[in-house]
Amino acid sequence: MKRLDFLSLKMDSFDKDSFTQDALSYSENCMLLYFDFYEMRVEHKPDHIKRFPSLIKLPLPKNKFILKAFFPIWWLLLFSTFMFVFGYLCLRYKPKVCWTEITWVGMVFGLAKKFGLCENFIYCTGDWLAHQKNSSFLSRLSNDYIFVYTDYIAATHCDLLISYSIKCGQARESYWGKKLSSNHYNRYPPPIQICKTAVDKKATEICFLGQVRDDSGLDKFIPLLESLNKMYGIRLKIIGPPSAYRDRIEKIIYELNCEHLVDLYGWLPQNELLNVMQNCFCGINLLVNSTYALYAIPGKIIQYLQMQIPVLITDNSGVSETVQKNKLGIIIDLNFNALEDSIEKLFKYQSEYRMNIKKYAKQYPNKRICEYLAMI
């Protein structure tokens, strides 16, 4: 059986197109998979792999009530699906290079490396989920135990640990009291690549991308929407999966009678997402308290910037220093005193902020796969 040169699993997210192009230039004898919670899709596989399905539906109920009622069963099925799929691929095709940013699969690749089923394993990580406040029992089980120990196996068995956030790496080392990988690269400040679909025209919409949580801050912004629309024609787009807190936000929208000013979308594949984001002048990430996002670099921030959308973020974000230094948007404090003024400023000077984003993209381009492999 012919071996794979390269096997990867990544989120269907901001760097999908650039990573796919880079992987194929490295070797066409590669297998590239992406997932978006609902499905895992094979973006590319070589001709010698005949029977592997191009699409694997993941057991995520779209009905939020069913998901809540059967969450432990769903989680177990999802975990088992990842273990089986990538355990099988490692056993069958013994990839020379394994690459993932998904912790569970990182554990599989780490064990594959240990038992000689892959030659080189690169683990990309940007989260540290342990010890979050106000977590339910299931969240604590998932974040404080399963995440921590699967992450440990991945980090201690990889050949290169790429950390998207310096603070996340520091939190991991503080938790264990030691460095887990002898070969560690900090990918910070975060590189971006401007999307081909990004435009320079005057835009009138604000974008919130991702899952709505209790600390997302949308409840602070929505009451301002009516006045902003009257003055500037500003509207809001909310793009992301269902959640209990999104239900609350939608209730606030209807209570304030501003549903005509808000476009609601579910989780969108990248090609649709980029089109939906084209008329946005501001991407928001308003965190009302300090959570693990203090350590992480939210993917939504990179997605905004790659679409040349200036950002409006709170000063407890893991990327606030980079945004401030390079003038990629506006940072506000947790009191939200300057929220409306900041939105008006981003609207009026959006072209200047876009120029700053373009300059940043040239200064911090993505590294290629071969450059990372040279670090091993």
Side-chain angles (χ1 to χ4, degrees), residues 40 46 87 139 160-161 213 218 266-267 298 301 316 318 330:
M40 184 159 47
S139 293
L160 176 62
L161 176 64
R213 298 185 173 92
L218 282 173
W267 189 274
I301 301 293
N316 59 343
I330 295 177

Side-chain angles (χ1 to χ4, degrees), residues 86-329:
F86 289 94
Y88 165 79
L89 290 173
C90 288
L91 282 167
R92 185 74 183 271
Y93 298 106
K94 296 181 176 59
K96 296 177 183 178
V97 177
C98 292
W99 180 302
T100 192
E101 58 196 24
I102 312 303
T103 303
W104 308 342
V105 177
M107 180 186 72
V108 176
F109 288 166
L111 293 175
K113 166 71 178 180
K114 180 178 177 63
F115 293 109
L117 298 177
C118 81
E119 291 180 12
N120 294 299
F121 166 37
I122 296 178
Y123 178 41
C124 306
T125 175
D127 283 337
W128 182 251
L129 303 180
H131 297 160
Q132 294 187 45
K133 297 179 180 179
N134 303 321
S135 296
S136 65
F137 168 76
L138 290 174
S139 293
R140 290 196 303 272
L141 175 64
S142 175
N143 297 332
D144 294 350
Y145 295 96
I146 296 174
F147 166 79
V148 165
Y149 288 99
T150 53
D151 176 79
Y152 179 86
I153 294 172
T156 53
H157 290 85
C158 66
D159 296 283
L160 176 62
L161 176 64
I162 301 175
S163 184
Y164 295 166
S165 163
I166 295 175
K167 291 182 178 180
C168 277
Q170 291 171 342
R172 177 185 292 105
E173 292 174 11
S174 176
Y175 181 91
W176 293 106
K178 62 179 180 180
K179 288 188 175 182
L180 300 189
S181 174
S182 59
N183 195 6
H184 190 167
Y185 174 76
N186 287 316
R187 199 182 76 161
Y188 189 88
I192 66 169
Q193 180 173 320
I194 301 298
C195 295
K196 295 179 180 178
T197 53
V199 295
D200 289 320
K201 67 179 182 179
K202 186 83 170 180
T204 57
E205 295 178 325
I206 295 172
C207 179
F208 175 86
L209 179 63
Q211 186 178 43
V212 179
R213 298 185 173 92
D214 60 338
D215 63 349
S216 295
L218 282 173
D219 57 322
K220 308 289 185 183
F221 165 72
I222 290 171
L224 306 175
L225 195 53
E226 187 74 38
S227 62
L228 288 169
N229 180 262
K230 287 181 179 179
M231 289 188 292
Y232 305 108
I234 291 173
R235 294 173 50 83
L236 172 66
K237 292 182 175 181
I238 299 177
I239 308 168
S243 70
Y245 294 106
R246 172 156 168 167
D247 292 343
R248 296 184 190 181
I249 292 300
E250 291 182 13
K251 184 179 179 181
I252 292 173
I253 291 170
Y254 287 107
E255 287 176 347
L256 295 176
N257 297 315
C258 60
E259 60 269 24
H260 60 294
L261 304 178
V262 183
D263 296 323
L264 300 171
Y265 298 87
W267 189 274
L268 298 177
Q270 277 293 296
N271 57 339
E272 294 181 36
L273 175 63
L274 298 181
N275 290 330
V276 168
M277 294 175 70
Q278 277 188 332
N279 193 41
C280 295
F281 72 91
C282 170
I284 57 176
N285 189 44
L286 307 174
L287 302 171
V288 299
N289 55 51
S290 295
T291 65
Y292 80 94
L294 174 65
Y295 306 110
I297 307 297
K300 69 183 71 177
I301 301 293
I302 310 301
Q303 187 82 72
Y304 295 149
L305 295 176
Q306 292 192 160
M307 285 296 291
Q308 296 182 174
I309 300 173
V311 298
L312 178 62
I313 63 176
T314 41
D315 58 8
N316 59 343
S317 170
V319 75
S320 56
E321 180 183 343
T322 296
V323 170
Q324 185 173 34
K325 179 181 177 181
N326 296 279
K327 299 180 181 179
L328 307 176

